[in-house]
Amino acid sequence: MRRYLFFVNQPYSYSILRPLQDEIRRRGDEAAWFVAGCSAAPLRPDERRLKTVQEVMDYRADATFVPGDWVPYFFPGIKVEVFHGMARNKRGHSSEDESDHYRIRGWFDLYCTHAESDTARFQALAEQHRHFSVAHTGWSKLDPLLSQPREERRRRSEDGLPVVFFASTFSRSVTSAPVLVDKIAELAGSGRWKFIVTLHPKMETSVVEQYRRLAGENLRFIESDEDLLPLLPEADVMLCDTSSIMFEFMFLDRPVVTFRTKMPGPYLIDVAKVEELEPALERALDHPEMLMTSARNLCDDLHSYRDGRSSARVLDAVDDFLANKKSGLRRKPFNLLRKLKVRRRLRRELRVSRDGR
């Protein structure tokens, strides 16, 4: 029986890792959770939590799955990067290669990639560094969505009003939440639209409170630690800025409208002025052919698989790595300064988690 550890540093990690947990349990293996940097409140009664570093060391996992960009290097077992989003240029870099998605920090033994393009890029980096391996697996987070029959992915509001899912990232340079709060309040109050609203866990508290106060008959506010994936099928269109959740929504074959996005393209409708927002939403509801075709092509570029079996491929990749690839790699770089920073960060973020639960 294999043992696996889930390293959680942000609330969005839960929805990425739970499909892996389902597959682990289906195989008769065991999983445990270690939370550092956010609340452990979303953990369920049947999910085992390891609360201390010593408990992690005693657990001796064969592999630790990480949806973020760091992990304590001294934890037992191999470290597996499963990513918190798909490979897209979110910060307006001159090219995709400059984005943080491809930054090799020296923590991971295995990178589980989503599509042919990012697999090729990571494979080239693996050949350059020679201390990690790459497997083209797909993204575990999409398994519950893609494994549903297509007709079950489409749910409408009971009163027939179009539903907008509004999601915003937190960085001041790209977030639309502060600018759009009054407009969203107006549209929700007009009786013409329904909204589901969620904000990034790092969003400024004052902005979060503004949206919480809008909750009512036509606006539902979703806390950042809730699992958003089951809610996506309830929306007819997504309103976003530069949050990667827009790409997850596109897998439902539904349109996306953005406000001043850093990732423009024919696969979405982007507007720069608040007064352009409602006409853009109305246009999106018509599912323009060029828009929808471009979005489908983008989804093919972002994620190779549509079978909802990425979690199984991730676990198979771990088995293959342990059996066939681990012994052939170089040792990771010995970066003392970076390792000291990780230890300090772990101590600091464990305090955050204890405060949360």
Side-chain angles (χ1 to χ4, degrees), residues 236-255:
D236 300 286
V237 58
M238 174 167 281
L239 172 60
C240 199
D241 37 44
T242 307
S243 173
S244 60
I245 194 174
M246 72 170 80
F247 303 118
E248 299 168 35
F249 187 78
M250 288 180 188
F251 282 90
L252 290 168
D253 200 28
R254 299 182 202 176

Side-chain angles (χ1 to χ4, degrees), residues 2-269:
R2 289 208 186 279
R3 288 183 170 183
Y4 299 100
L5 181 69
F6 298 139
F7 182 71
V8 174
N9 186 239
Q10 294 290 342
Y12 52 64
S13 299
Y14 292 101
S15 59
I16 299 170
L17 296 170
R18 281 195 172 116
L20 277 169
Q21 179 175 248
D22 291 342
E23 180 63 19
I24 288 167
R25 290 174 171 177
R26 191 190 69 79
R27 297 182 180 203
D29 295 326
E30 183 180 325
W33 300 73
F34 183 78
V35 181
C38 64
S39 173
L43 284 176
R44 298 166 180 167
D46 66 337
E47 292 175 331
R48 179 179 179 183
R49 180 188 178 191
L50 307 179
K51 296 183 179 181
T52 67
V53 170
Q54 187 58 55
E55 288 180 354
V56 169
M57 304 306 286
D58 294 341
Y59 184 68
R60 301 193 62 81
D62 296 286
T64 296
F65 296 109
V66 187
D69 58 13
W70 74 285
V71 62
Y73 62 92
F74 51 87
F75 280 9
I78 66 169
K79 317 304 183 298
V80 184
E81 171 66 91
V82 294
F83 299 101
H84 70 273
M86 288 171 280
R88 294 302 296 164
N89 184 356
K90 294 179 61 179
R91 304 299 179 193
H93 298 290
S94 59
S95 74
E96 195 66 45
D97 290 348
E98 296 178 14
S99 73
D100 288 346
H101 190 83
Y102 297 106
R103 184 179 176 186
I104 304 302
R105 296 173 170 85
W107 304 134
F108 300 105
D109 302 284
L110 176 64
Y111 286 80
C112 290
T113 52
H114 305 156
E116 293 181 3
S117 58
D118 64 322
T119 302
R121 177 60 176 148
F122 275 108
Q123 190 58 54
L125 291 168
E127 293 171 5
Q128 174 187 340
H129 294 280
R130 298 176 65 184
H131 57 74
F132 63 86
S133 184
V134 179
H136 182 192
T137 61
W139 197 27
S140 58
K141 184 177 182 180
L142 292 181
D143 282 356
L145 191 64
L146 297 177
S147 59
Q148 295 180 23
R150 192 169 185 84
E151 60 272 13
E152 292 183 15
R153 301 181 198 173
R154 187 170 296 274
R155 300 201 296 267
R156 301 293 185 182
S157 64
E158 293 181 358
D159 55 15
L161 292 178
V163 179
V164 181
F165 195 111
F166 174 57
S168 179
T169 191
F170 72 98
S171 175
R172 292 185 179 181
S173 63
V174 295
T175 183
S176 64
V179 180
L180 295 183
V181 61
D182 291 337
K183 187 63 178 179
I184 289 175
E186 174 195 325
L187 294 177
S190 71
R192 298 188 298 270
W193 304 87
K194 284 184 176 293
F195 280 83
I196 301 171
V197 174
T198 191
L199 303 175
H200 193 280
K202 293 183 180 179
M203 181 67 70
E204 291 183 19
T205 304
S206 60
V207 177
V208 175
E209 286 301 324
Q210 284 182 284
Y211 279 93
R212 280 198 185 110
R213 289 196 293 268
L214 296 181
E217 181 180 357
N218 289 333
L219 190 146
R220 179 182 175 188
F221 184 80
I222 306 298
E223 297 294 341
S224 62
D225 61 356
E226 293 189 44
D227 187 358
L228 303 178
L229 207 63
L231 302 176
L232 295 184
E234 297 182 15
D236 300 286
V237 58
M238 174 167 281
L239 172 60
C240 199
D241 37 44
T242 307
S243 173
S244 60
I245 194 174
M246 72 170 80
F247 303 118
E248 299 168 35
F249 187 78
M250 288 180 188
F251 282 90
L252 290 168
D253 200 28
R254 299 182 202 176
V256 173
V257 173
T258 55
F259 185 79
R260 301 174 186 171
T261 188
K262 296 292 185 181
M263 297 184 288
Y267 44 81
L268 50 78
I269 301 173

Side-chain angles (χ1 to χ4, degrees), residues 37 341 343-353:
K341 289 181 178 179
R343 286 183 176 271
R344 286 198 298 268
R345 182 173 183 177
L346 179 61
R347 287 194 295 268
R348 181 177 67 250
E349 301 205 356
L350 275 175
R351 288 195 294 269
V352 173
S353 301

